[in-house]
Short mmCIF file of all heavy atoms in Angstrom, two decimals:
data_model
loop_
_atom_site.label_atom_id
_atom_site.label_comp_id
_atom_site.label_asym_id
_atom_site.label_seq_id
_atom_site.Cartn_x
_atom_site.Cartn_y
_atom_site.Cartn_z
N VAL F 528 -21.73 10.08 -0.83
CA VAL F 528 -20.26 10.08 -0.90
C VAL F 528 -19.82 9.82 -2.33
O VAL F 528 -20.37 8.92 -2.99
CB VAL F 528 -19.67 8.96 0.00
CG1 VAL F 528 -18.15 8.86 -0.16
CG2 VAL F 528 -20.03 9.19 1.46
N LEU F 529 -18.84 10.58 -2.80
CA LEU F 529 -18.18 10.28 -4.08
C LEU F 529 -16.71 10.05 -3.80
O LEU F 529 -16.03 10.94 -3.26
CB LEU F 529 -18.35 11.45 -5.06
CG LEU F 529 -17.54 11.30 -6.35
CD1 LEU F 529 -18.08 10.16 -7.21
CD2 LEU F 529 -17.56 12.61 -7.14
N VAL F 530 -16.22 8.87 -4.14
CA VAL F 530 -14.80 8.56 -3.95
C VAL F 530 -14.09 8.80 -5.28
O VAL F 530 -14.51 8.26 -6.31
CB VAL F 530 -14.61 7.10 -3.49
CG1 VAL F 530 -13.12 6.78 -3.32
CG2 VAL F 530 -15.36 6.85 -2.17
N VAL F 531 -13.04 9.59 -5.25
CA VAL F 531 -12.26 9.87 -6.45
C VAL F 531 -11.04 8.96 -6.43
O VAL F 531 -10.12 9.14 -5.62
CB VAL F 531 -11.82 11.36 -6.49
CG1 VAL F 531 -10.89 11.62 -7.67
CG2 VAL F 531 -13.05 12.26 -6.54
N GLY F 532 -11.03 7.95 -7.30
CA GLY F 532 -9.92 7.00 -7.34
C GLY F 532 -10.39 5.60 -6.98
O GLY F 532 -11.00 5.40 -5.93
N GLY F 533 -10.10 4.65 -7.88
CA GLY F 533 -10.59 3.28 -7.70
C GLY F 533 -9.48 2.27 -7.53
O GLY F 533 -9.61 1.12 -7.92
N GLY F 534 -8.36 2.68 -6.92
CA GLY F 534 -7.37 1.70 -6.48
C GLY F 534 -7.90 1.02 -5.22
O GLY F 534 -9.05 1.25 -4.81
N ILE F 535 -7.09 0.20 -4.59
CA ILE F 535 -7.62 -0.57 -3.45
C ILE F 535 -8.06 0.34 -2.30
O ILE F 535 -9.00 0.01 -1.59
CB ILE F 535 -6.63 -1.66 -2.96
CG1 ILE F 535 -5.24 -1.10 -2.70
CG2 ILE F 535 -6.58 -2.81 -3.95
CD1 ILE F 535 -4.28 -2.13 -2.12
N ILE F 536 -7.42 1.50 -2.13
CA ILE F 536 -7.81 2.39 -1.03
C ILE F 536 -9.16 3.05 -1.34
O ILE F 536 -10.04 3.13 -0.48
CB ILE F 536 -6.70 3.45 -0.78
CG1 ILE F 536 -5.42 2.75 -0.28
CG2 ILE F 536 -7.17 4.54 0.17
CD1 ILE F 536 -5.55 2.03 1.05
N GLY F 537 -9.34 3.51 -2.58
CA GLY F 537 -10.64 4.08 -2.96
C GLY F 537 -11.74 3.03 -2.89
O GLY F 537 -12.85 3.29 -2.41
N LEU F 538 -11.42 1.82 -3.35
CA LEU F 538 -12.43 0.75 -3.36
C LEU F 538 -12.85 0.37 -1.94
O LEU F 538 -14.04 0.23 -1.65
CB LEU F 538 -11.89 -0.49 -4.08
CG LEU F 538 -11.74 -0.37 -5.60
CD1 LEU F 538 -10.91 -1.53 -6.15
CD2 LEU F 538 -13.11 -0.34 -6.29
N VAL F 539 -11.86 0.22 -1.05
CA VAL F 539 -12.24 -0.20 0.31
C VAL F 539 -13.03 0.91 1.01
O VAL F 539 -13.96 0.63 1.79
CB VAL F 539 -11.00 -0.66 1.13
CG1 VAL F 539 -10.20 0.52 1.68
CG2 VAL F 539 -11.43 -1.59 2.26
N THR F 540 -12.70 2.16 0.70
CA THR F 540 -13.43 3.28 1.28
C THR F 540 -14.89 3.26 0.79
O THR F 540 -15.83 3.38 1.59
CB THR F 540 -12.75 4.61 0.89
OG1 THR F 540 -11.42 4.61 1.41
CG2 THR F 540 -13.50 5.82 1.42
N ALA F 541 -15.06 3.07 -0.51
CA ALA F 541 -16.42 3.05 -1.09
C ALA F 541 -17.21 1.85 -0.54
O ALA F 541 -18.39 1.99 -0.18
CB ALA F 541 -16.33 2.98 -2.61
N TRP F 542 -16.56 0.71 -0.48
CA TRP F 542 -17.25 -0.51 0.00
C TRP F 542 -17.74 -0.33 1.43
O TRP F 542 -18.92 -0.55 1.73
CB TRP F 542 -16.30 -1.70 -0.11
CG TRP F 542 -16.84 -2.98 0.43
CD1 TRP F 542 -18.12 -3.47 0.25
CD2 TRP F 542 -16.16 -3.95 1.22
NE1 TRP F 542 -18.24 -4.69 0.90
CE2 TRP F 542 -17.05 -5.01 1.50
CE3 TRP F 542 -14.86 -4.04 1.72
CZ2 TRP F 542 -16.69 -6.13 2.25
CZ3 TRP F 542 -14.49 -5.16 2.46
CH2 TRP F 542 -15.41 -6.19 2.72
N ARG F 543 -16.84 0.10 2.30
CA ARG F 543 -17.22 0.25 3.71
C ARG F 543 -18.26 1.37 3.89
O ARG F 543 -19.18 1.24 4.71
CB ARG F 543 -15.99 0.54 4.58
CG ARG F 543 -15.02 -0.65 4.73
CD ARG F 543 -15.69 -1.87 5.28
NE ARG F 543 -14.75 -2.86 5.80
CZ ARG F 543 -15.04 -4.15 5.98
NH1 ARG F 543 -16.24 -4.61 5.66
NH2 ARG F 543 -14.16 -4.98 6.46
N ALA F 544 -18.14 2.46 3.11
CA ALA F 544 -19.13 3.54 3.20
C ALA F 544 -20.51 3.00 2.82
O ALA F 544 -21.51 3.25 3.52
CB ALA F 544 -18.73 4.70 2.30
N ALA F 545 -20.56 2.24 1.73
CA ALA F 545 -21.84 1.68 1.28
C ALA F 545 -22.39 0.71 2.32
O ALA F 545 -23.60 0.70 2.60
CB ALA F 545 -21.67 0.99 -0.07
N GLN F 546 -21.52 -0.08 2.92
CA GLN F 546 -21.98 -1.02 3.96
C GLN F 546 -22.56 -0.28 5.16
O GLN F 546 -23.39 -0.81 5.88
CB GLN F 546 -20.81 -1.88 4.45
CG GLN F 546 -20.47 -3.05 3.53
CD GLN F 546 -19.40 -3.92 4.15
OE1 GLN F 546 -18.46 -3.43 4.74
NE2 GLN F 546 -19.54 -5.22 3.99
N HIS F 547 -22.09 0.97 5.38
CA HIS F 547 -22.62 1.78 6.48
C HIS F 547 -23.87 2.56 6.07
O HIS F 547 -24.28 3.49 6.77
CB HIS F 547 -21.55 2.73 7.01
CG HIS F 547 -20.59 2.06 7.97
ND1 HIS F 547 -19.66 1.13 7.55
CD2 HIS F 547 -20.45 2.16 9.31
CE1 HIS F 547 -18.97 0.70 8.61
NE2 HIS F 547 -19.43 1.30 9.68
N GLY F 548 -24.43 2.24 4.94
CA GLY F 548 -25.71 2.83 4.55
C GLY F 548 -25.59 4.12 3.77
O GLY F 548 -26.60 4.79 3.52
N LEU F 549 -24.37 4.52 3.39
CA LEU F 549 -24.21 5.75 2.62
C LEU F 549 -24.33 5.43 1.13
O LEU F 549 -23.70 4.47 0.65
CB LEU F 549 -22.84 6.38 2.90
CG LEU F 549 -22.58 6.78 4.35
CD1 LEU F 549 -21.13 7.19 4.57
CD2 LEU F 549 -23.51 7.92 4.76
N ALA F 550 -25.15 6.20 0.41
CA ALA F 550 -25.23 6.04 -1.04
C ALA F 550 -23.90 6.51 -1.61
O ALA F 550 -23.49 7.65 -1.40
CB ALA F 550 -26.37 6.87 -1.60
N THR F 551 -23.18 5.61 -2.31
CA THR F 551 -21.78 5.87 -2.64
C THR F 551 -21.52 5.70 -4.14
O THR F 551 -21.99 4.73 -4.75
CB THR F 551 -20.87 4.91 -1.84
OG1 THR F 551 -21.15 5.07 -0.46
CG2 THR F 551 -19.39 5.18 -2.09
N ALA F 552 -20.76 6.65 -4.71
CA ALA F 552 -20.30 6.53 -6.09
C ALA F 552 -18.78 6.57 -6.09
O ALA F 552 -18.16 7.05 -5.13
CB ALA F 552 -20.87 7.66 -6.93
N LEU F 553 -18.19 6.06 -7.15
CA LEU F 553 -16.72 6.05 -7.25
C LEU F 553 -16.34 6.41 -8.68
O LEU F 553 -16.89 5.83 -9.62
CB LEU F 553 -16.19 4.66 -6.88
CG LEU F 553 -14.67 4.48 -6.88
CD1 LEU F 553 -14.24 3.48 -5.80
CD2 LEU F 553 -14.16 4.01 -8.24
N ALA F 554 -15.44 7.38 -8.84
CA ALA F 554 -15.02 7.81 -10.18
C ALA F 554 -13.61 7.31 -10.47
O ALA F 554 -12.67 7.64 -9.74
CB ALA F 554 -15.07 9.33 -10.28
N ASP F 555 -13.48 6.49 -11.50
CA ASP F 555 -12.18 6.01 -11.96
C ASP F 555 -12.41 5.32 -13.30
O ASP F 555 -13.35 4.52 -13.42
CB ASP F 555 -11.59 5.00 -10.96
CG ASP F 555 -10.11 4.69 -11.24
OD1 ASP F 555 -9.79 4.27 -12.38
OD2 ASP F 555 -9.30 4.85 -10.33
N PRO F 556 -11.57 5.61 -14.31
CA PRO F 556 -11.80 4.95 -15.61
C PRO F 556 -11.59 3.45 -15.53
O PRO F 556 -12.14 2.70 -16.34
CB PRO F 556 -10.77 5.60 -16.53
CG PRO F 556 -9.88 6.41 -15.68
CD PRO F 556 -10.49 6.59 -14.34
N GLU F 557 -10.79 3.01 -14.56
CA GLU F 557 -10.45 1.58 -14.52
C GLU F 557 -10.38 1.11 -13.06
O GLU F 557 -9.29 0.94 -12.50
CB GLU F 557 -9.08 1.40 -15.18
CG GLU F 557 -8.77 0.00 -15.61
CD GLU F 557 -7.29 -0.14 -16.00
OE1 GLU F 557 -6.68 0.85 -16.46
OE2 GLU F 557 -6.77 -1.22 -15.81
N PRO F 558 -11.55 0.93 -12.42
CA PRO F 558 -11.51 0.53 -10.99
C PRO F 558 -10.73 -0.77 -10.83
O PRO F 558 -10.85 -1.69 -11.63
CB PRO F 558 -12.99 0.33 -10.64
CG PRO F 558 -13.75 1.03 -11.70
CD PRO F 558 -12.92 1.04 -12.93
N GLY F 559 -9.92 -0.81 -9.76
CA GLY F 559 -9.10 -2.00 -9.52
C GLY F 559 -7.71 -1.89 -10.12
O GLY F 559 -6.88 -2.77 -9.94
N GLY F 560 -7.45 -0.81 -10.85
CA GLY F 560 -6.12 -0.61 -11.43
C GLY F 560 -5.20 0.06 -10.42
O GLY F 560 -5.41 -0.03 -9.22
N GLY F 561 -4.18 0.73 -10.93
CA GLY F 561 -3.29 1.49 -10.03
C GLY F 561 -2.18 0.63 -9.45
O GLY F 561 -1.86 -0.46 -9.94
N ALA F 562 -1.61 1.12 -8.35
CA ALA F 562 -0.39 0.52 -7.79
C ALA F 562 -0.60 -0.93 -7.37
O ALA F 562 0.36 -1.72 -7.34
CB ALA F 562 0.10 1.36 -6.62
N ALA F 563 -1.85 -1.32 -7.05
CA ALA F 563 -2.09 -2.71 -6.62
C ALA F 563 -1.78 -3.70 -7.73
O ALA F 563 -1.54 -4.88 -7.45
CB ALA F 563 -3.54 -2.87 -6.16
N GLN F 564 -1.79 -3.24 -8.98
CA GLN F 564 -1.48 -4.16 -10.08
C GLN F 564 0.01 -4.46 -10.16
O GLN F 564 0.44 -5.35 -10.88
CB GLN F 564 -1.97 -3.57 -11.41
CG GLN F 564 -3.49 -3.48 -11.50
CD GLN F 564 -4.17 -4.86 -11.37
OE1 GLN F 564 -3.71 -5.84 -11.96
NE2 GLN F 564 -5.24 -4.93 -10.60
N VAL F 565 0.80 -3.68 -9.43
CA VAL F 565 2.26 -3.87 -9.45
C VAL F 565 2.75 -4.42 -8.12
O VAL F 565 3.66 -5.25 -8.07
CB VAL F 565 2.96 -2.52 -9.76
CG1 VAL F 565 4.47 -2.68 -9.81
CG2 VAL F 565 2.44 -1.95 -11.08
N ALA F 566 2.13 -4.00 -7.01
CA ALA F 566 2.63 -4.30 -5.66
C ALA F 566 2.76 -5.80 -5.41
O ALA F 566 2.01 -6.61 -5.95
CB ALA F 566 1.67 -3.70 -4.64
N ALA F 567 3.71 -6.14 -4.54
CA ALA F 567 3.96 -7.55 -4.21
C ALA F 567 2.97 -8.07 -3.18
O ALA F 567 2.70 -9.28 -3.14
CB ALA F 567 5.37 -7.71 -3.69
N GLY F 568 2.47 -7.20 -2.30
CA GLY F 568 1.47 -7.63 -1.33
C GLY F 568 2.01 -8.13 -0.01
O GLY F 568 1.34 -8.88 0.70
N MET F 569 3.24 -7.71 0.33
CA MET F 569 3.75 -8.08 1.66
C MET F 569 2.98 -7.33 2.73
O MET F 569 2.70 -6.14 2.59
CB MET F 569 5.21 -7.68 1.78
CG MET F 569 6.15 -8.53 0.99
SD MET F 569 7.77 -7.85 1.10
CE MET F 569 7.51 -6.23 0.45
#
Side-chain angles (χ1 to χ4, degrees):
V528 175
L529 172 68
V530 179
V531 174
I535 52 176
I536 295 297
L538 288 167
V539 79
T540 299
W542 176 42
R543 290 303 197 200
Q546 280 186 320
H547 279 71
L549 299 172
T551 303
L553 182 147
D555 192 305
E557 198 191 331
Q564 293 300 318
V565 181
M569 287 175 301

